[in-house]
Amino acid sequence: MSKSIRIADPMEALVSLQREIRRGMQTHPTEMSPSVRVIHDQPTGIARYTYAKIEHGRVKAISIFVHHEPIDGIPCFNLGYAVPEAYCNRGWAKEIVEQGIQELRLGLGRHGVKSFYVEAVVGKDNLASQRVASKVISDTPVEGTDSESGEAILAYTRLVEC
């Protein structure tokens, strides 16, 4: 079965967040990870949670969870993640994704959510992101096609219990 899903570029969000941090944007501490900050906003009217590893004013890794259409009646979040090239190959993408999932699990659970899905859509040529998604999200992705570019993608989905 093939899905048609649009790929987003989380590196654009990381660059934008870095710019806003330099301008003095406030972030909030997370509960479980002292080195991770969270920004909750709704830029298009849809809930978005951004978890960022920030050290000395520099954004070193982010994971972004955007509320999406439910799967079988269970809430779903599209996931994006990015690490600047200077900080690659340190395990930070895997770490920030898992920390984001655990923080989201804790927060949603407090509000009565029993479970939610996380879905990462990765370009078939993006091997680094595939490695992260297969370790943290699922080792059984579904092949598909990006609805805008026509690019081949892999969709990784994970059910998270609160």
Side-chain angles (χ1 to χ4, degrees), residues 4-100:
S4 181
I5 303 170
R6 184 180 173 277
I7 297 176
D9 184 359
M11 188 56 78
E12 292 174 12
L14 187 145
V15 170
S16 175
L17 178 60
Q18 180 65 71
R19 185 173 45 250
E20 294 304 316
I21 295 291
R22 286 188 178 133
R23 292 180 180 161
M25 176 184 184
Q26 293 298 308
T27 61
H28 304 282
T30 57
E31 291 185 53
M32 301 172 69
S33 307
S35 67
V36 176
R37 308 291 291 181
V38 64
I39 300 99
H40 173 248
D41 60 1
Q42 297 183 1
T44 60
I46 299 170
R48 175 175 70 180
Y49 300 87
T50 302
Y51 298 93
K53 179 181 186 79
I54 303 172
E55 294 178 353
H56 310 292
R58 291 184 185 254
V59 179
K60 297 196 171 183
I62 64 168
S63 58
I64 305 166
F65 298 82
V66 179
H67 195 257
H68 191 60
E69 294 176 24
I71 296 175
D72 298 328
I74 297 172
C76 180
F77 291 85
N78 280 345
L79 166 65
Y81 43 93
V83 175
E85 192 172 332
Y87 304 114
C88 285
N89 298 314
R90 299 180 189 196
W92 289 354
K94 181 178 173 257
E95 180 181 306
I96 196 70
V97 169
E98 190 57 52
Q99 288 171 331

Side-chain angles (χ1 to χ4, degrees), residues 2 7 121-131 141-146 149-156:
S2 180
I7 297 176
V121 177
V122 178
K124 226 173 172 183
D125 62 345
N126 189 339
L127 299 179
S129 285
Q130 287 176 36
R131 282 191 297 273
V142 175
E143 292 190 32
T145 304
D146 178 62
S149 70
E151 180 182 341
I153 58 97
L154 295 170
Y156 298 80

